[in-house]
Amino acid sequence: MARVLVVEDDQFVRSALIRHLTEAAHTVRSVGTALEALREVAQVGFDVVILDLGLPDLDGGEALKMLRGITDVPVIIATARDDETEIVRLLNDGADDYLTKPFSVEHLSARMTAVLRRARATAPGAEPSSPAIRVGGLCVDPLRRQARLDGCALDLTRREFDLLAFLAGRPGVVVARRELLAEVWQQSYGDDQTIDVHLSWLRRKLGETAARPRYLHTLRGVGVKLEPPQ
């Protein structure tokens, strides 16, 4: 099972999370402030962090940025806030998933399982699933988690790399959004905007736009494909 850090200042919610996660055989530590969370992460190795945004000493969004400065441990945001713009910003800042309160323990457990599966599959020492993939001037190395375009390294987030590698492994094949959610996000359902946002970030780093695509092509109502420029 997983080593979990719960960052939550509401004592009732905190106790409930600790109880249910412990019953599920996870090892759980908990703190009520952002600074305590940073100290715990720096001193203890965790598999996943469950982070509330409404912390008393520092907004959880700022805490997320600081966490990303010292670790790549998966972070699941758990908060009552449901503003779409803020969700997109947090994903951009490095959150691995986002849950809006109230949520069931079963829902949290499913999201944790998906996040941990992705993290373990890409951990150092994991067996490579395939050799480097080349599509035109694009080279994606799943083992080293590196991508280069025309010889220049691409600075990609974890999720951007996962999305690019999945599409590059199927050059010229139209991949449905539902399949992207299942294979890249490990979710059976979700918001299409999450995919659109990550595709937009990828296009920017590949030097293209939706209006003038080179590698990434969206077929409205069907899906997305990656293929070499014509």
Side-chain angles (χ1 to χ4, degrees):
M1 293 290 102
R3 294 162 297 175
V4 185
L5 176 64
V6 174
V7 188
E8 169 65 63
D9 70 317
D10 186 307
Q11 191 59 50
F12 177 79
V13 175
R14 187 171 162 184
S15 297
L17 286 174
I18 293 170
R19 181 174 68 254
H20 289 298
L21 290 170
T22 301
E23 289 173 353
H26 297 296
T27 300
V28 186
R29 293 172 69 101
S30 67
V31 295
T33 68
L35 293 180
E36 288 176 311
L38 291 166
R39 183 165 54 248
E40 284 288 310
V41 168
Q43 296 175 351
V44 182
F46 292 99
D47 296 310
V48 63
V49 174
I50 300 172
L51 176 65
D52 179 43
L53 294 182
L55 300 173
D57 59 334
L58 188 67
D59 181 79
E62 292 302 313
L64 173 64
K65 292 180 182 178
M66 296 174 72
L67 282 170
R68 279 291 164 258
I70 61 174
T71 180
D72 61 355
V73 62
V75 176
I76 299 176
I77 301 295
T79 180
R81 304 179 194 175
D82 60 359
D83 179 71
E84 193 171 85
T85 300
E86 183 169 28
I87 293 173
V88 171
R89 177 179 60 80
L90 288 162
L91 291 171
N92 189 26
D93 287 342
D96 292 84
D97 210 337
Y98 191 106
L99 277 173
T100 303
K101 298 175 183 176
F103 51 80
S104 68
V105 176
E106 292 76 18
H107 193 175
L108 173 60
S109 295
R111 294 294 185 93
M112 279 180 53
T113 298
V115 165
L116 289 168
R117 186 186 304 122
R118 290 195 298 270
R120 286 164 180 165
T122 58
E127 289 297 318
S129 58
S130 62
I133 304 165
R134 296 184 181 277
V135 181
L138 183 65
C139 179
V140 181
D141 188 334
L143 174 58
R144 295 179 176 83
R145 293 191 62 79
Q146 295 174 350
R148 305 181 74 85
L149 178 61
D150 299 328
C152 297
L154 296 174
D155 182 15
L156 304 177
T157 66
R158 183 191 320 183
R159 191 60 57 77
E160 289 169 356
F161 182 88
D162 291 342
L163 178 58
L164 179 63
F166 186 79
L167 291 171
R170 297 153 183 76
V173 176
V174 179
V175 181
R177 290 170 177 270
R178 180 174 297 178
E179 185 176 358
L180 289 176
L181 281 172
E183 298 297 332
V184 179
W185 276 263
Q186 302 292 315
Q187 296 176 17
S188 57
Y189 61 92
D191 189 347
D192 279 0
Q193 186 177 15
T194 297
I195 298 175
D196 291 335
V197 168
H198 283 82
L199 285 171
S200 176
W201 294 334
L202 266 181
R203 285 193 175 100
R204 189 181 311 157
K205 293 177 180 180
L206 292 173
E208 60 183 69
T209 65
R212 303 188 67 177
R214 295 181 64 236
Y215 286 90
L216 292 171
H217 300 264
T218 300
L219 283 72
R220 187 175 297 276
V222 181
V224 183
K225 68 176 178 179
L226 184 147
E227 61 184 11
Q230 300 297 321

